[in-house]
Amino acid sequence: MLIKRPADIKSSEITPEAVYNDRRRFMQTTAGLALAPLFASAAFAESMPNGQKLNYLQPKQFASSEPRSTFEQITHYNNFYEFGTDKYSPAELAQKLTVSPWSIAIEGEVEKPGVYTLEDILKPHSLEERIYRLRCVEGWSMVIPWVGFSLGDLIKRFKPTSGAKYVEFTTLSRPAEMVGQRRNVLDWPYVEGLRMDEAMHPLTLLAVGLYGEVMPKQNGAPIRLVVPWKYGFKSIKSIVKIRFVSKPPISSWMRSVPSEYGFYSNVNPEVDHPRWSQGRERRIGEFLKRETLKFNGYGEQVAQLYQGMDLRKYF
Ligand code: MTE
């Protein structure tokens, strides 16, 4: 993964708390009460432009009280190699991506494989806001108010068989629209994987929006993974395939640089990247670096998944 110095986005650009809270109140009252249906799912396919509001719940769990990164920061400093290897191109180039219609193929060790439309995928689920820290392997971080639902709830619907030990996720392949795919910077399409218990963990989110709005294209529209205790590259964007398998999937980054990127990729300040320390991170918009927390601060929830494992070996 390329190392670039994070843009020093001015702290004056950070959304004042009051403005953000006003937006949240708007969402809870006008755009739908907490228990209202998410959105008319039939209309969802037509309603993809940015700025489309989502209805969602405010869960009590998983709510970080840290100041959120601004919408501007979250949508203008992106890693999305399908739209260029720098942080600024995706905001512009991803706008070409057609995200409707969209479907996801469910394959492998499940009783109910098939190709499901985005509507089929979303219909039974309630959306929640989850404010998660995202720690990128390159040493920067943000706090993002995602809107989505637990991946585990979706997985249960497909009834995985006993052979399903891992889950492999694949991003769309469409070089006509994804200009970065015309260059061999990675082995396209982008692939990521999780162990089954990681995929089923309630923190693991399938996100369809952020800041209460439909997912901006540069952030992985229409649907992406968010695994907050792992380095950001595990959080694969624009997913078109979910495959249940018996062996650990080989992710794009493992295939590209196996000595630098392992399957687990848990945020771990004690295990440095071969080319740089992982001890500290720069929150986008801040000047001073802060200490990186093991499992990105989610150890209480997820450390037991790795009990007895040598996390230096399984990096
Ligand atoms: N997914 C795809 N398909 N392609 C990518 O290049 N980049 C990853 C991850 N998901 C990436 C991807 C990396 S390195 C990070 S840090 C996060 O997306 C960034 O997500 P964000 O742009 O929403 O902050």
Side-chain angles (χ1 to χ4, degrees), residues 30 33 44 77 85 96-97 117 221 223 234:
T30 24
L33 293 168
F44 185 72
Y77 192 76
T85 52
K96 290 201 180 75
L97 183 65
T117 65
I223 187 161
K234 297 293 284 184

Short mmCIF file of all heavy atoms in Angstrom, two decimals, residues 30 33 44 77 85 96-97 117 221 223 234:
data_model
loop_
_atom_site.label_atom_id
_atom_site.label_comp_id
_atom_site.label_asym_id
_atom_site.label_seq_id
_atom_site.Cartn_x
_atom_site.Cartn_y
_atom_site.Cartn_z
N THR A 30 -38.20 14.16 11.14
CA THR A 30 -38.81 14.30 9.82
C THR A 30 -38.59 13.11 8.91
O THR A 30 -39.49 12.67 8.23
CB THR A 30 -38.27 15.55 9.10
OG1 THR A 30 -37.00 15.85 9.63
CG2 THR A 30 -39.20 16.70 9.23
N LEU A 33 -39.34 8.20 12.23
CA LEU A 33 -39.07 7.93 13.63
C LEU A 33 -38.21 6.69 13.74
O LEU A 33 -38.12 5.89 12.82
CB LEU A 33 -40.39 7.74 14.36
CG LEU A 33 -41.21 9.03 14.41
CD1 LEU A 33 -42.62 8.73 14.87
CD2 LEU A 33 -40.56 10.04 15.33
N PHE A 44 -35.50 2.26 -3.19
CA PHE A 44 -34.09 2.45 -2.86
C PHE A 44 -33.22 2.46 -4.12
O PHE A 44 -32.35 3.31 -4.27
CB PHE A 44 -33.64 1.33 -1.92
CG PHE A 44 -32.24 1.51 -1.44
CD1 PHE A 44 -31.92 2.50 -0.53
CD2 PHE A 44 -31.24 0.69 -1.91
CE1 PHE A 44 -30.61 2.66 -0.09
CE2 PHE A 44 -29.94 0.85 -1.47
CZ PHE A 44 -29.63 1.83 -0.56
N TYR A 77 -11.09 12.16 1.37
CA TYR A 77 -9.77 11.60 1.69
C TYR A 77 -9.99 10.09 1.75
O TYR A 77 -10.25 9.52 2.80
CB TYR A 77 -9.26 12.15 3.02
CG TYR A 77 -7.80 11.84 3.26
CD1 TYR A 77 -6.81 12.56 2.60
CD2 TYR A 77 -7.42 10.82 4.14
CE1 TYR A 77 -5.47 12.27 2.80
CE2 TYR A 77 -6.08 10.53 4.35
CZ TYR A 77 -5.12 11.26 3.69
OH TYR A 77 -3.78 10.96 3.89
N THR A 85 -4.85 5.69 -7.03
CA THR A 85 -4.10 5.30 -5.83
C THR A 85 -3.88 6.47 -4.87
O THR A 85 -3.34 6.27 -3.78
CB THR A 85 -2.73 4.72 -6.23
OG1 THR A 85 -2.08 5.66 -7.10
CG2 THR A 85 -2.86 3.38 -6.94
N LYS A 96 -18.66 8.37 -11.49
CA LYS A 96 -19.04 7.69 -12.75
C LYS A 96 -19.67 6.32 -12.50
O LYS A 96 -20.24 5.72 -13.40
CB LYS A 96 -17.80 7.48 -13.62
CG LYS A 96 -17.21 8.74 -14.20
CD LYS A 96 -16.35 8.38 -15.43
CE LYS A 96 -15.73 9.61 -16.04
NZ LYS A 96 -14.60 10.11 -15.22
N LEU A 97 -19.50 5.80 -11.31
CA LEU A 97 -19.94 4.42 -11.05
C LEU A 97 -21.46 4.31 -11.04
O LEU A 97 -22.14 5.07 -10.35
CB LEU A 97 -19.37 3.95 -9.69
CG LEU A 97 -19.69 2.51 -9.31
CD1 LEU A 97 -19.02 1.53 -10.27
CD2 LEU A 97 -19.24 2.23 -7.88
N THR A 117 -30.92 -9.22 -5.25
CA THR A 117 -30.85 -7.78 -5.54
C THR A 117 -30.55 -7.04 -4.24
O THR A 117 -30.77 -7.58 -3.14
CB THR A 117 -32.18 -7.25 -6.10
OG1 THR A 117 -33.17 -7.38 -5.08
CG2 THR A 117 -32.61 -8.00 -7.36
N ALA A 221 -20.26 2.84 -2.24
CA ALA A 221 -21.66 2.62 -2.59
C ALA A 221 -21.79 1.38 -3.48
O ALA A 221 -20.86 1.06 -4.22
CB ALA A 221 -22.21 3.84 -3.33
N ILE A 223 -22.96 -0.69 -1.09
CA ILE A 223 -22.88 -1.47 0.16
C ILE A 223 -21.44 -1.92 0.38
O ILE A 223 -20.77 -2.38 -0.55
CB ILE A 223 -23.89 -2.65 0.11
CG1 ILE A 223 -23.97 -3.38 1.45
CG2 ILE A 223 -23.62 -3.60 -1.04
CD1 ILE A 223 -25.24 -4.22 1.61
N LYS A 234 -9.37 -3.97 5.25
CA LYS A 234 -10.28 -5.13 5.32
C LYS A 234 -11.72 -4.73 5.01
O LYS A 234 -12.55 -5.57 4.70
CB LYS A 234 -10.24 -5.74 6.74
CG LYS A 234 -8.91 -6.30 7.17
CD LYS A 234 -8.47 -7.51 6.39
CE LYS A 234 -9.21 -8.78 6.77
NZ LYS A 234 -8.65 -9.94 6.01
#
